[in-house]
Amino acid sequence: AQTVTQSQPEMSVQEAETVTLSCTYDTSENNYYLFWYKQPPSRQMILVIRQEAYKQQNATENRFSVNFQKAAKSFSLKISDSQLGDTAMYFCAYIADSNYQLIWGAGTKLIIKP
Amino acid sequence: EAGVTQFPSHSVIEKGQTVTLRCDPISGHDNLYWYRRVMGKEIKFLLHFVKESKQDESGMPNNRFLAERTGGTYSTLKVQPAELEDSGVYFCASTLAGLSEQFFGPGTRLTVL
């Protein structure tokens, strides 16, 4: 079965600190994609970063980067120089090319304190 | 360009009533998805349209849920009759191609009393 696990229900850090959110997944597929989505309190889900499983290089988007460990089935998100606007629920998600439904983790509530 | 829109933003109904949720995808997006997050649980896939056809409806919980996408544009999700366990946030997403980024609407919060 395809599953996504986020083991940190809630995290809190000071503004400007670096924070890492963890995500592990289980799959027998060879071709798949991994995503981190962010849902701020206003509720609109926004894509933060995306990683293709066939790419060895870790994806980066400005202050956001991932540590993709394919053999360990791990996909953590690092947020550098955290900002108040980063406060949100963060969801790790997976999609395989055998079906196009996103499989979601339970989410991590991230609070950035001033 | 307008994003994915959903209507209503909130709906409060009594058990046994009917509710219809609507999703307008981004123009030109053939793929439309419905997801649901029940309080305290993971977001779960409900179904996937490609244009007007149901590509995958394996996540639909039971036959009280009916989704349509007439003409391949907007989609509706009807719950009839609603039960208490149907309460949650219903998200719609659309995308150009199957594995592309899915763009989400703001969700509809459904409360069944």
Side-chain angles (χ1 to χ4, degrees), chain A residues 37 39 44 50 100-102, chain B residues 33 35 56 99 102 104:
Chain A
Y37 276 90
Q39 189 181 28
Q44 192 94 29
R50 160 195 170 114
Y100 293 157
Q101 53 177 276
L102 279 168
Chain B
Y33 301 81
Y35 295 90
D56 180 357
L99 294 176
Q102 294 187 19
F104 282 80

Side-chain angles (χ1 to χ4, degrees), chain A residues 4 31 33 35 37 39 42-45 47 50 89 91 95-97 99-107, chain B residues 4 9-10 33 35 37 42-45 48 56 58 89 91 98-102 104-109:
Chain A
V4 177
N31 192 24
Y33 297 76
F35 304 86
Y37 276 90
Q39 189 181 28
S42 62
R43 299 189 301 150
Q44 192 94 29
M45 197 82 72
L47 179 66
R50 160 195 170 114
M89 282 291 292
F91 294 95
I95 194 168
D97 67 356
N99 68 57
Y100 293 157
Q101 53 177 276
L102 279 168
I103 308 296
W104 299 83
Chain B
V4 178
S9 56
H10 294 87
Y33 301 81
Y35 295 90
R37 187 181 190 203
E42 290 90 349
I43 300 170
K44 295 288 189 183
F45 165 84
H48 170 206
D56 180 357
S58 61
V89 180
F91 294 99
L99 294 176
S100 301
E101 173 188 354
Q102 294 187 19
F104 282 80
T108 294
R109 183 174 296 277

Side-chain angles (χ1 to χ4, degrees), chain A residues 43-61:
Chain A
R43 299 189 301 150
Q44 192 94 29
M45 197 82 72
I46 305 165
L47 179 66
V48 175
I49 199 164
R50 160 195 170 114
Q51 175 81 43
E52 291 86 348
Y54 63 85
K55 289 187 177 179
Q56 291 185 333
Q57 187 173 6
N58 288 326
T60 63
E61 287 288 341

